[in-house]
Amino acid sequence: KIFHVADLTYTTFCSFVTGQCLDAIILAAMFAISMSILQLPYALLISTLIGFTALIPIIGAFIGCIVGAILIFIVSPIKTLIFLILFILLQQIEENVIYPRVVGKSVGLPPIWVFVAVALGGKLLGIAGMILFIPVTSVIYTLFKEWLKKREKRLMNLSSCKIKKI
């Protein structure tokens, strides 16, 4: 049983890292494309920065946004406002649609449990909790599902034995 839990934990953490990286690439691509269309300065630099900082759940992209806003403000204060509106729009899409589906799917968690894991992890352990609680919740969720399946199978066997005795 210990080896099973260890293997499940290893697989889940590897899948989580893969999902996080995929999510960051998607977010960076969305920013690169939309900033290029809007002709905002430093589009590739800022989108890459946001992609890297997005590896930190919830607040990472905001760190990239602050640095990006400062860089754009140096060139054009009006374009900074456009960038901030774009950031809010793309961040809402990423946080509410893309992240739960990509990361949740990679670790086998429904999107609602991804939200719960990030919120609970952030509350208990801050940024480290946000990062660690998704794979930990996934391992617990998977073990609980396995336990339920075994229990259901055992109950089905018991009920079939009682039917045969009658």
Side-chain angles (χ1 to χ4, degrees):
K1 289 183 178 184
I2 292 172
F3 286 120
H4 173 65
V5 172
D7 182 54
L8 180 63
T9 303
Y10 173 77
T11 303
T12 302
F13 272 86
C14 288
S15 297
F16 172 70
V17 170
T18 302
Q20 280 287 110
C21 292
L22 180 60
D23 178 63
I25 290 169
I26 291 169
L27 183 63
M30 288 187 334
F31 269 99
I33 292 167
S34 57
M35 287 179 71
S36 296
I37 290 170
L38 295 173
Q39 296 180 345
L40 296 175
Y42 307 116
L44 288 176
L45 173 69
I46 294 171
S47 61
T48 303
L49 176 68
I50 289 173
F52 276 117
T53 58
L55 293 172
I56 303 169
I58 309 289
I59 64 167
F62 289 104
I63 296 168
C65 174
I66 292 168
V67 174
I70 292 169
L71 288 172
I72 294 173
F73 186 79
I74 293 169
V75 176
S76 171
I78 293 172
K79 289 189 177 188
T80 304
L81 183 61
I82 295 168
F83 171 72
L84 291 173
I85 293 168
L86 175 68
F87 178 81
I88 291 169
L89 177 71
L90 292 180
Q91 187 63 22
Q92 289 300 311
I93 293 169
E94 192 267 342
E95 286 288 325
N96 295 316
V97 178
I98 297 170
Y99 186 82
R101 293 180 195 273
V102 170
V103 175
K105 193 173 191 176
S106 70
V107 294
L109 272 179
I112 188 68
W113 287 108
V114 174
F115 283 128
V116 170
V118 169
L120 186 61
K123 186 73 172 166
L124 294 176
L125 298 174
I127 294 172
M130 290 178 186
I131 294 170
L132 292 175
F133 265 56
I134 293 173
V136 168
T137 303
S138 177
V139 169
I140 293 168
Y141 180 80
T142 303
L143 290 172
F144 185 69
K145 278 187 356 184
E146 289 175 357
W147 177 78
L148 283 176
K149 284 182 183 178
K150 285 179 185 176
R151 183 176 168 97
E152 180 183 22
K153 186 177 179 181
R154 191 173 65 222
L155 288 173
M156 293 299 284
N157 288 340
L158 285 175
S159 64
S160 67
C161 288
K162 287 180 183 179
I163 292 172
K164 287 177 184 177
K165 286 181 183 179
I166 296 175

